């Protein structure tokens, strides 16, 4: 018995109906972002391995798909660390910072970039998680003020709303708030990364789970107890305006608090229907974030559908000169199931015809229907029409035109609704 033919693990095929929905969503996202002045760029799927293992990608660097360097002989003894020199990108931000460094002389600052494309992570596949998936990123480089974050948030909120995804919530935090909080609780700076990895799991394991994991990592009772109390006090706090009322320890930089309040106040004006909340446990796993971080989620949604933050300093790793930068990324695979094709989309027409009819007349009728904006497919008539119609409806066709031969002439019916049984 032949084995089942399926895509590689963690990958998937996209059928025509789903592809149409995906392309509609991408079109809307592109149009909205371009209306905000973002210019689309493109970067290679492959980057130098050393760049992708620079320590900026957090846990994602452990999920790299590495590419063997050319010229390796089959019998050559090579250490694993020397066998690969390239890697598939795990996100679009690291390649973008290299792109900006490579093309600095041709770019006007501030530079507003739009980038859409596939990325790859060798993680365990599960529902909603694939090894290849699409990201939709916008980034502003060269703008140090909070205007960058506000425009990123407003543009993304507009794109999601245009796709019919309403009632979203924006959660805000700042890396300065997180590191200041940990310092105030007594954690050494060298331990901040490990502690934040655990704090980031609060949504999944709850505060008790976070505390238990910190203790299992061997952190002292005093800093763990201090952090537990701080988080217990701060988790109910959602109003960003209250952060300056002594809610946070003095070790949290005042500039971080002021920045969050600037962003929240401006977003309230630019996108008044967006619910903005402070979330002390929002961490975001990338190692490159340096300031405000943010995520968007749908009502009742368990996971975020978009996320980003400020990553000053990344471009400077390549050029030696820091360039302020911030970005926001839509998790395309997480929103696509919530997106529908618009009801007023151009009709998809099946032009059903018998075998052996005049090809020129068929194509003339096809062009006539296309002139009205329809998508028209020539479909050969089957012995049983209803199963054919059922299949066409499943493929997204909404109208049918029947071709018949009458008295030696090819005639066509008027377009009529195509309905499944």
């Amino acid at each position: 018995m032949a084995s089942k033919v399926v895509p590689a693990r963690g990958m998937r095929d996209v059928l025509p109906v789903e592809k149409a929905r995906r392309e509609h969503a991408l079109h809307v996202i592109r149009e909205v972002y371009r209306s905000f002045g973002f210019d689309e760029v493109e970067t290679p799927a492959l980057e130098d391995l050393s760049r992708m293992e620079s320590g900026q990608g957090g846990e994602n660097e452990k999920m790299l798909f590495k590419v063997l360097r050319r010229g390796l002989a089959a019998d050559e003894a090579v250490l694993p660390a020397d066998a690969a020199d390239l890697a598939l990108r795990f996100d679009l931000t690291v390649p973008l910072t290299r792109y900006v460094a490579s093309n600095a002389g041709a770019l006007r600052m501030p530079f507003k970039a739009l980038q859409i494309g596939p990325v790859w992570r060798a993680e365990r596949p599960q529902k909603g998680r694939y090894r290849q998936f699409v990201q939709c990123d916008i980034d502003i480089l060269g703008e140090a003020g909070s205007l960058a974050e506000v425009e990123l948030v407003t543009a993304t909120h507009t794109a999601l709303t245009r796709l019919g995804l309403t009632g979203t919530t924006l959660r805000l935090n700042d890396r300065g708030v997180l590191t200041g909080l940990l310092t105030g609780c007594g954690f050494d700076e060298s331990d901040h990364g490990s502690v934040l990895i655990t704090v980031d799991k609060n949504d999944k394991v709850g505060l008790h789970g976070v505390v238990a994991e910190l203790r299992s990592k061997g952190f002292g009772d005093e800093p763990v107890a201090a952090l537990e109390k701080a988080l217990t006090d701060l988790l109910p706090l959602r109003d960003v305006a209250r952060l300056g009322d002594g809610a946070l320890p003095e070790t949290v930089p005042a500039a971080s608090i002021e920045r969050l309040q600037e962003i929240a106040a401006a977003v309230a004006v630019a996108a008044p229907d967006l619910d903005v909340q402070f979330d002390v446990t929002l961490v975001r796993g990338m190692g490159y974030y340096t300031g405000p971080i943010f995520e968007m989620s749908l009502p009742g949604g368990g996971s975020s559908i978009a996320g980003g933050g400020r990553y000053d300093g990344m471009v400077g790793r390549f050029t030696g000169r820091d360039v302020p930068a911030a970005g926001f990324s839509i998790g395309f695979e997480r929103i696509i199931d919530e997106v529908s094709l618009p009801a007023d989309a151009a009709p998809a027409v099946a032009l059903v015809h018998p075998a052996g009819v005049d090809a020129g007349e068929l194509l003339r009728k096809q062009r006539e229907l296309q002139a009205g904006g329809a998508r028209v497919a020539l479909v050969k008539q089957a012995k049983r029409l209803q199963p054919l119609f059922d299949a066409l409806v499943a493929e997204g066709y909404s109208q049918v035109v029947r071709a018949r031969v009458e008295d030696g002439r090819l005639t066509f019916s008027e377009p009529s609704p195509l309905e499944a049984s």
Side-chain angles (χ1 to χ4, degrees), residues 286-343:
M286 297 300 193
Y288 47 64
Y289 290 121
T290 59
I293 49 179
F294 30 84
E295 289 187 353
M296 278 187 187
S297 56
L298 292 172
S303 58
S304 67
I305 58 171
R310 178 159 288 276
Y311 53 94
D312 296 343
M314 276 191 72
V315 177
R317 293 170 66 92
F318 305 121
T319 65
R321 179 177 60 86
D322 284 348
V323 175
F328 210 174
S329 176
I330 291 178
F332 187 73
E333 311 301 341
R334 294 185 177 182
I335 69 166
I336 192 60
D337 288 341
E338 306 296 326
V339 176
S340 301
L341 285 171

Side-chain angles (χ1 to χ4, degrees), residues 10 26 32 247 301 311 317 322 354 374 385 395 406:
L26 290 173
V32 170
Y311 53 94
R317 293 170 66 92
D322 284 348
L385 284 178
E395 292 172 16
E406 298 178 352

